């Protein structure tokens, strides 16, 4: 396992997904990794978790092709809270 840092910028947000244009297309195996904001070098902030890479043909005119899709931290926290409250995620 080799820690990797790839710079990116949020380009589109839907109700349940966020899409980030990255300096280079993420490699396979990076799914599940953290999406961090490093704007403050002393306090990195977690923004979410990498869900995947948008493939060709998955968006109109391929405008999101190669973007990293990630689940926002609030959605992850909601899932954790639901699991704690009910014993199952929904």
């Amino acid at each position: 396992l080799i820690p990797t840092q790839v710079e990116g910028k949020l380009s589109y947000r839907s109700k349940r997904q966020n899409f980030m244009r990255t300096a280079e297309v993420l490699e396979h195996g990076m799914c599940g990794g953290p999406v961090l904001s490093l704007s403050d070098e002393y306090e990195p902030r977690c923004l979410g978790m990498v869900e995947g890479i948008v493939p060709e043909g998955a968006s109109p005119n391929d405008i999101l092709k190669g973007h990293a899709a990630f689940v926002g931290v609030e959605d992850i926290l909601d899932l954790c809270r639901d699991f704690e409250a009910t014993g199952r995620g929904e």
Side-chain angles (χ1 to χ4, degrees):
L1 180 67
I2 301 171
T4 303
Q5 180 176 325
V6 178
E7 291 188 28
K9 183 176 182 176
L10 184 68
S11 60
Y12 179 76
R13 176 178 283 157
S14 71
K15 185 174 180 174
R16 287 299 208 188
Q17 283 183 302
N18 302 284
F19 298 91
M20 182 176 292
R21 178 174 297 284
T22 52
E24 57 195 66
V25 175
L26 299 184
E27 297 178 24
H28 292 283
M30 295 180 95
C31 295
V35 176
L36 302 173
S37 171
L38 300 176
S39 58
D40 181 343
E41 66 182 271
Y42 300 107
E43 293 291 329
R45 198 166 47 101
C46 182
L47 302 177
M49 181 177 67
V50 176
E51 182 178 0
I53 304 159
V54 180
E56 184 175 353
S59 65
N61 300 319
D62 278 338
I63 58 172
L64 296 175
K65 175 184 172 188
H67 280 60
F70 69 96
V71 179
V73 70
E74 288 303 321
D75 290 326
I76 296 168
L77 290 172
D78 286 345
L79 178 65
C80 292
R81 288 182 196 113
D82 183 54
F83 187 80
E84 286 177 346
T86 65
R88 61 184 196 282
E90 304 206 86

